Amino acid sequence: HGELNCVIMGARLSSIYKNVSPGNYIGEAVAINRFVQDVRPNIQIINFRKDESPGLWNEVMRMRKIVYGDELKNTELAQSDEYDSAAIHFLLKVDDEFVGTVRNYPKGKDYYSGRLLILPSKRLHGLGDMLLKHHFSYLKSQGINVIYARGREPMLDYYKRLGFEPTGVIYTVGPEKLVQIKIDLKSVSYTHLTLPTIYSV
């Protein structure tokens, strides 16, 4: 959660990346997760830009309202901001339901990931890890290696397990204190993921 949620042996998942430039990016993951093993859902990860896909954007805003507005009582994080138009947004779909999202946007010479969320009813199944790591896999395939984010203080241990380190900068967004964190994707390896393969449209 925050501005920016194990790996066990199990079912093989297809994740579809609808690239914003020509080509489709298709990655595969092996998840060691009882949810995946027992329920065997159809899981897709789709990326898009806000102005190109109004229907998908409505799903992002619906989930932000549920998590940031209703659950965390932070109306500022629930709203759209000046970075949404420039961002690539990633949507996680389980069967016929959109259940999570994260974004990445340029700011000056740097790249920021944020607004990571998984709907409350779908947590504790490893879906947040899957979304974030596929998100990183996509960025790495685009030559983007250093990523900044702003994480809620209660989530810092989680971010550190993924390879993030605090930079020492603190932000206040609504009632939340957010810690700036940074990851170098060249220094981390998610061995259960394969980098996306490029397919011509």
Side-chain angles (χ1 to χ4, degrees):
H1 306 294
E3 261 277 49
L4 257 182
N5 275 338
C6 249
V7 233
I8 355 180
M9 316 166 121
R12 187 172 186 145
L13 307 175
S14 292
S15 298
I16 300 174
Y17 289 83
K18 183 182 177 186
N19 192 21
V20 292
S21 58
N24 287 334
Y25 290 78
I26 301 184
E28 295 176 341
V30 174
I32 319 164
N33 188 298
R34 195 161 293 281
F35 171 71
V36 171
Q37 290 176 336
D38 294 349
V39 181
R40 299 186 181 281
N42 175 34
I43 296 179
Q44 294 182 332
I45 299 174
I46 304 164
N47 65 352
F48 70 98
R49 292 193 186 275
K50 172 185 175 183
D51 296 337
E52 295 172 353
S53 302
L56 295 178
W57 177 246
N58 288 340
E59 291 294 334
V60 170
M61 294 305 295
R62 176 185 67 85
M63 290 188 286
R64 283 187 188 176
K65 179 182 182 301
I66 292 170
V67 173
Y68 294 121
D70 299 342
E71 182 183 4
L72 297 178
K73 310 301 181 190
N74 191 327
T75 55
E76 192 167 343
L77 286 178
Q79 296 169 5
S80 182
D81 64 18
E82 67 270 28
Y83 303 114
D84 278 325
S85 291
I88 298 176
H89 299 270
F90 294 74
L91 271 176
L92 175 64
K93 188 176 185 180
V94 178
D95 294 326
D96 295 324
E97 181 183 5
F98 289 105
V99 303
T101 182
V102 67
R103 70 178 182 181
N104 182 269
Y105 59 90
K107 186 178 179 183
K109 294 184 290 185
D110 299 320
Y111 288 87
Y112 281 77
S113 290
R115 295 296 201 274
L116 172 68
L117 65 86
I118 298 292
L119 293 181
S121 62
K122 300 298 183 182
R123 292 178 193 156
L124 303 179
H125 299 311
L127 295 173
D129 279 20
M130 185 186 305
L131 173 60
L132 194 56
K133 291 172 183 178
H134 275 277
H135 163 75
F136 287 156
S137 176
Y138 172 85
L139 296 176
K140 199 170 180 179
S141 78
Q142 303 299 292
I144 301 170
N145 289 302
V146 177
I147 304 296
Y148 291 87
R150 299 173 185 176
R152 295 172 57 231
E153 287 182 305
M155 298 295 293
L156 280 182
D157 287 343
Y158 169 75
Y159 299 139
K160 288 178 180 178
R161 288 199 302 272
L162 289 171
F164 280 98
E165 291 296 335
T167 66
V169 180
I170 306 290
Y171 298 87
T172 301
V173 180
E176 297 273 6
K177 280 192 175 180
L178 303 178
V179 179
Q180 181 173 273
I181 51 181
K182 176 182 177 181
I183 188 170
D184 185 346
L185 298 180
K186 291 183 291 187
S187 67
V188 297
S189 176
Y190 302 127
T191 55
H192 63 299
L193 295 178
T194 59
L195 287 177
T197 302
I198 301 175
Y199 291 85
S200 298
V201 174

